[in-house]
Amino acid sequence: MNSPLAPKRAMRLILALSVGLSLGAEALAQSAGAVAPRTYAVKDKNGAPLPAYTIPDDASIFERPDAEAVFYGQRLLNETQRLLPDHVGAAMNCNSCHVMQGKKPLGAPFINTYNSFPQFNPRAEREMTLEERINGCMIRSMNGKKLPVDSREMRAMVAYMKWLAQDVPHGARVQIKNASPFDTSLVPDPVRGRALYAQQCASCHGADGEGLKDARGHIVFPPLWGDESFNIGAGLARTYKAAAFIHDNMPMGVHTDGAWGEGRTLSQQDAVDIAEFFTHMPRPDFPLKDKDWPSGKKPKDARY
Ligand code: HEC
Ligand code: HEC
């Protein structure tokens, strides 16, 4: 980029440098006042207690025989668009939504993921393997193409999720939530949502939901709508799923505590109003939509 930055854009870049780029790393959490706990109770299938789980330090990856695969998986989740340009259609990385590399409770974490697959998928109405579920996010949230199940990339992503699960046995659960319960009886008001978006979100995600890239074209703030966002088949295209995500995680950088200074400034009503507004702005279609919910048992916020 040769032209000087417009002041508003420059301000967003500074915000990005001070807040956005340190994400994913634990640096922000470490320097904050109250840090989210790292140790959680574990229960087996029958609810009996097992030894506690602690979110592992990245340095422990070096001690593993599969260290190379785990580190590659971690990079792929962080820099998905840059490393897999032929497979990713959106200006999005996996960790744009799986907050802090899948280590943040309520931020779509991967902590229980490895141990909870294969799993029944309500949208497909059948059981799915972990690889199939990852490809679900590839073709919907990333608006891209499936990775071959036995590719080095797929195996690396799974290796990272396996490392994150540590020695929790298959079928047991670390006692965290992937998202907080959300009141789906709230009636969204997208007009109010548009105004709240301008106040609370546009500084990072852009006035037109376009997000922000650095001079090399790498993602700093992911887009919330438009051609480069997730498609209508993504979980986040649904009002109440998006509302729960932003209620728990956005706006980030507004406090000096918590995992990344996030949230707790939007009421559930605010979140549902903003979510209805941005999820229904123009975004790519999902060509395989006819195959979802084959027997018609759709949630009320399904997009098709
Ligand atoms: C636009 C946001 C978004 C992006 C980008 C995204 N995901 Fe997801 N992903 C979600 C949400 C939301 C869920 C939970 C869906 C639900 O509640 O049904 C999810 C669920 C998953 C699950 C199931 C987790 C579990 O424990 O049940 C896996 C695995 C997964 N994603 C992997 C990935 C991978 C790998 C990528 C990148 C290739 C990716 N996701 C990109 C939003 C996203
Ligand atoms: C201080 C900057 C900042 C503000 C303000 C902010 N976000 Fe975000 N948002 C981010 C960053 C950074 C990510 C990606 C996280 C990552 O890469 O680790 C993100 C990710 C997201 C995502 C998932 C990825 C995507 O593009 O769909 C959604 C949805 C989202 N934000 C919605 C919102 C909403 C709604 C608001 C206003 C209530 C908001 N954000 C305010 C910085 C911000």
Side-chain angles (χ1 to χ4, degrees), residues 113-114 117-118 128-135 158 161:
T113 301
Y114 183 79
F117 282 83
M128 266 191 187
T129 62
L130 177 52
E131 290 81 359
E132 285 178 296
R133 185 64 190 81
I134 288 174
N135 273 334
V158 172
M161 292 173 194

Side-chain angles (χ1 to χ4, degrees), residues 45-62:
K45 295 191 213 348
N46 307 314
L50 291 173
Y53 165 90
T54 300
I55 299 174
D57 281 328
D58 288 357
S60 75
I61 299 174
F62 286 109

Side-chain angles (χ1 to χ4, degrees), residues 22 25-36 100 253-262 264:
S22 57
E26 235 87 334
L28 198 61
Q30 301 286 325
S31 65
V35 173
M100 297 175 76
V254 291
H255 301 287
T256 54
D257 63 352
W260 65 351
E262 77 283 9
R264 290 172 290 134

Side-chain angles (χ1 to χ4, degrees), residues 54-175:
T54 300
I55 299 174
D57 281 328
D58 288 357
S60 75
I61 299 174
F62 286 109
E63 292 154 22
R64 296 172 67 93
D66 62 348
E68 205 185 318
V70 177
F71 278 125
Y72 185 43
Q74 184 176 51
R75 278 190 66 206
L76 286 167
L77 297 171
N78 277 329
E79 305 169 63
T80 327
Q81 193 217 25
R82 198 164 71 75
L83 298 177
L84 301 174
D86 296 340
H87 286 83
V88 173
M92 203 79 80
N93 297 313
C94 304
N95 292 346
S96 302
C97 301
H98 296 282
V99 176
M100 297 175 76
Q101 316 194 60
K103 295 176 189 169
K104 183 180 173 290
L106 305 182
F110 291 136
I111 291 169
N112 280 310
T113 301
Y114 183 79
N115 285 324
S116 44
F117 282 83
Q119 190 186 82
F120 182 77
N121 184 285
R123 185 167 55 196
E125 297 176 3
R126 66 177 176 84
E127 199 172 78
M128 266 191 187
T129 62
L130 177 52
E131 290 81 359
E132 285 178 296
R133 185 64 190 81
I134 288 174
N135 273 334
C137 272
M138 284 297 292
I139 61 177
R140 297 162 187 268
S141 293
M142 310 294 282
N143 193 34
K145 292 188 205 132
K146 290 183 184 178
L147 286 168
V149 170
D150 57 358
S151 58
R152 182 171 164 245
E153 286 66 31
M154 179 62 88
R155 280 189 276 129
M157 287 184 186
V158 172
Y160 175 80
M161 292 173 194
K162 185 175 182 197
W163 165 73
L164 191 57
Q166 296 286 289
D167 42 17
V168 174
H170 198 264
R173 267 195 90 77
V174 178
Q175 301 298 298

Side-chain angles (χ1 to χ4, degrees), residues 23 95-96 200-201 204-205 221-224 230 245 250 252:
L23 298 174
N95 292 346
S96 302
Q200 304 255 12
C201 322
C204 293
H205 291 286
F221 296 127
L224 294 193
F230 53 83
F245 178 87
M250 292 289 148
M252 52 148 325

